[in-house]
């Protein structure tokens, strides 16, 4: 009851990245609000290229930012318990946003990859990226995990999902 999944809410709601890197426009932002009483522990996220082919190699940057970089806007994506049939139990406190505006600044890099632009695996190009959290990635209240995706000319488009756990702060004292 403390593991959560956020994913494409309507089965065809893709996220398109930028045409260049800008630290104010993360494609995805997993954030633990300042008023939360949990630690958010990201497990992994998966991005699968889809739709129009990006306009060049795709950069994916992942960073942790404190205080949270969330400034405004974006789409608050649907979050469900990993045990989707479970009745009751704790509700999520951490939020996953797409297209939010972030405050300018730099966090701690916890991942970087360059992918070839391709939406078909027929050519042998890996078109799925799965980030797994290094040991010790914790999002305290008022911290965010920002994922930036970008490619020249045409931004990359992804199907996606994120998985994380939430542990009450009092369990970690």
């Amino acid at each position: 009851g403390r593991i959560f999944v956020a994913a494409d809410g309507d089965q065809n709601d893709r996220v398109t990245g930028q045409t260049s890197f800008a630290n104010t426009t993360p494609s995805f932002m997993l954030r633990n609000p300042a008023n939360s009483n949990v630690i958010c522990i990201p497990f992994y996220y998966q991005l699968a290229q889809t739709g129009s082919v990006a306009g060049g190699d795709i950069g994916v940057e992942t960073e942790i930012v404190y205080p949270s970089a969330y400034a405004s806007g974006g789409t608050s994506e649907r979050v469900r318990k990993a045990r989707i049939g479970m009745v009751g139990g704790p509700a999520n406190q951490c939020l996953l946003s797409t297209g939010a505006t972030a405050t300018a600044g730099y966090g701690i890099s916890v991942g970087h990859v360059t992918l070839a632009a391709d939406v078909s695996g027929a050519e042998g190009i890996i078109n799925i990226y799965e980030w797994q959290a290094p040991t010790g990635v914790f999002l305290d209240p008022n911290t965010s995990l920002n994922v930036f995706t970008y490619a020249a000319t045409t931004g990359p488009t992804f199907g996606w999902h994120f998985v994380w756990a939430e542990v009450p702060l009092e369990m970690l004292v």
Side-chain angles (χ1 to χ4, degrees):
R2 295 197 182 277
I3 298 176
F4 298 93
V5 177
D8 178 358
D10 66 6
Q11 298 178 332
N12 196 25
D13 174 28
R14 306 303 187 213
V15 170
T16 300
Q18 307 303 314
T19 54
S20 64
F21 177 81
N23 65 4
T24 57
T25 55
S27 302
F28 303 92
M29 182 185 292
L30 175 62
R31 62 189 173 97
N32 193 353
N35 63 350
S36 163
N37 67 353
V38 300
I39 295 283
C40 178
I41 304 170
F43 289 156
Y44 74 94
Y45 67 80
Q46 184 184 79
L47 305 178
Q49 294 180 62
T50 187
S52 299
V53 176
D57 286 348
I58 299 167
V60 181
E61 307 280 347
T62 305
E63 67 180 23
I64 300 171
V65 180
Y66 176 84
S68 174
Y70 181 78
S72 64
T75 300
S76 183
E77 299 292 348
R78 184 177 187 183
V79 176
R80 300 192 98 172
K81 294 175 188 154
R83 290 179 54 200
I84 62 172
M86 180 183 180
V87 177
N92 66 292
Q93 293 186 40
C94 298
L95 307 169
L96 193 285
S97 298
T98 56
T101 300
T103 55
Y106 300 99
I108 298 169
S109 177
V110 291
H112 169 79
V113 68
T114 300
L115 305 171
D118 196 355
V119 295
S120 166
E123 295 84 14
I125 293 173
I126 297 171
N127 58 4
I128 294 176
Y129 174 60
E130 187 168 288
W131 176 85
Q132 296 181 7
T135 301
V137 174
F138 299 100
L139 303 181
D140 286 294
N142 198 30
T143 306
S144 61
L145 179 81
N146 299 351
V147 179
F148 302 89
T149 65
Y150 54 94
T153 316
T154 304
T157 301
F158 297 103
W160 56 273
H161 65 273
F162 282 67
V163 180
W164 68 91
E166 296 181 12
V167 178
L169 288 170
E170 65 267 10
M171 291 179 72
L172 300 171
V173 181

